[in-house]
Amino acid sequence: MSFLFGGGRPQLSSAQKIEAAETELELVSDMFNREGDLNKAESVCIDRCVAKFFEVNMKVSEKMQSEAAGRQGSGGVGGGMFGM
C-alpha cells in the first residue's frame, strides 16, 4: 500500500503481470459472451459505441504522435498541453 502514500506504483513480478492479464482476458471474454443476452437494439447500440470509441482513440493517438514528432523536430522547445 505504499503507492497510496507517495511511494509510487508497486512493482509487479512477471507472474503477477500474467495473472492480471489472464484476469482481464476472462472479464473481457465474459462481457463479450454476454452479448447474446442483449436484444438486437442493445447489440447495435454497443457495436456503434465501440466503433466510435476506437475511431476517436485512433484520432487521439495520431494527433499525439504528430505533436510528439513536431516537438522532436523543433528540438523539444515549447511543448506542454497548450503549446506554451
Side-chain angles (χ1 to χ4, degrees):
M1 279 197 156
S2 64
F3 66 94
L4 294 175
F5 302 103
R9 295 186 63 157
Q11 297 298 319
L12 299 175
S13 69
S14 293
Q16 289 172 316
K17 290 177 184 177
I18 291 171
E19 183 180 349
E22 289 173 345
T23 301
E24 183 175 354
L25 180 61
E26 288 175 19
L27 291 171
V28 170
S29 297
D30 183 51
M31 291 303 294
F32 181 76
N33 291 333
R34 288 181 189 225
E35 191 168 343
D37 297 340
L38 302 175
N39 66 37
K40 180 71 174 174
E42 291 170 329
S43 293
V44 170
C45 183
I46 289 173
D47 290 342
R48 288 179 181 164
C49 183
V50 169
K52 288 178 184 180
F53 171 81
F54 281 114
E55 180 183 350
V56 170
N57 192 335
M58 290 300 297
K59 287 180 181 180
V60 169
S61 178
E62 291 169 2
K63 176 77 172 166
M64 292 178 71
Q65 288 176 358
S66 67
E67 288 183 6
R71 282 194 302 270
Q72 287 177 349
S74 67
V77 178
M81 183 177 223
F82 301 104
M84 299 176 161

